[in-house]
Amino acid sequence: MPSADRPDPAAPSDEGIARARRHNDRLLMRALLLAILAGIVVDAVVIVLAALLGGAGALPGALVGSGLALVVTLPTVASARIARPLPGTSYAMVLMGSWLVKMFVLVIALLLLGEATWLSRPWLGVALLAGAVVAAVTEAVGMVRSRARLEVAEPPREQ
């Protein structure tokens, strides 16, 4: 934490950098929120299909798979938002750490559910895969289509 005598190293001293950073933050959050929304919509469709077309355990499988898809996508939003003011290397470390934790949680959950007879594993897989892949693709497309601004300080003006 920065103290009164030490300025925040992540805070830009140049107004152009601060403006570009605010713009980039909005683009990042928009892409992440659209990704989550797209994943939820696709998983809702999978849940409805499981309820209508699936047999025994289809609906619980689709519900659990949808929940696990959120476990894959929601930490991305939280870690990206929390780590944004950090320097580049620290930002990457936080994102990779959150990825590692969510993959660990996902693997443990799937191992624990491996022998569950009350849910359909194929519907769980379809919901998990659909929700996570659609969210990741939407996030990637949103970031590629946005025009992030380069955060570079303007040169000093000559008097």
Side-chain angles (χ1 to χ4, degrees), residues 82-107:
I82 291 168
R84 180 62 183 108
L86 299 176
T89 304
S90 300
Y91 182 75
M93 289 172 51
V94 169
L95 289 181
M96 289 305 296
S98 79
W99 182 87
L100 183 64
V101 169
K102 69 184 174 183
M103 288 302 116
F104 181 74
V105 168
L106 181 63
V107 167

Side-chain angles (χ1 to χ4, degrees), residues 77-147:
V77 175
S79 60
R81 191 67 186 148
I82 291 168
R84 180 62 183 108
L86 299 176
T89 304
S90 300
Y91 182 75
M93 289 172 51
V94 169
L95 289 181
M96 289 305 296
S98 79
W99 182 87
L100 183 64
V101 169
K102 69 184 174 183
M103 288 302 116
F104 181 74
V105 168
L106 181 63
V107 167
I108 295 298
L110 291 174
L111 287 174
L112 291 173
L113 293 169
E115 300 299 320
T117 58
W118 53 273
L119 61 80
S120 167
R121 284 190 297 271
W123 281 103
L124 182 147
V126 167
L128 172 58
L129 189 63
V133 169
V134 166
V137 168
T138 304
E139 179 183 337
V141 168
M143 290 306 294
V144 167
R145 285 190 174 178
S146 65
R147 302 216 183 257

Side-chain angles (χ1 to χ4, degrees), residues 17 19 109 139:
I17 292 175
R19 191 172 38 254
E139 179 183 337

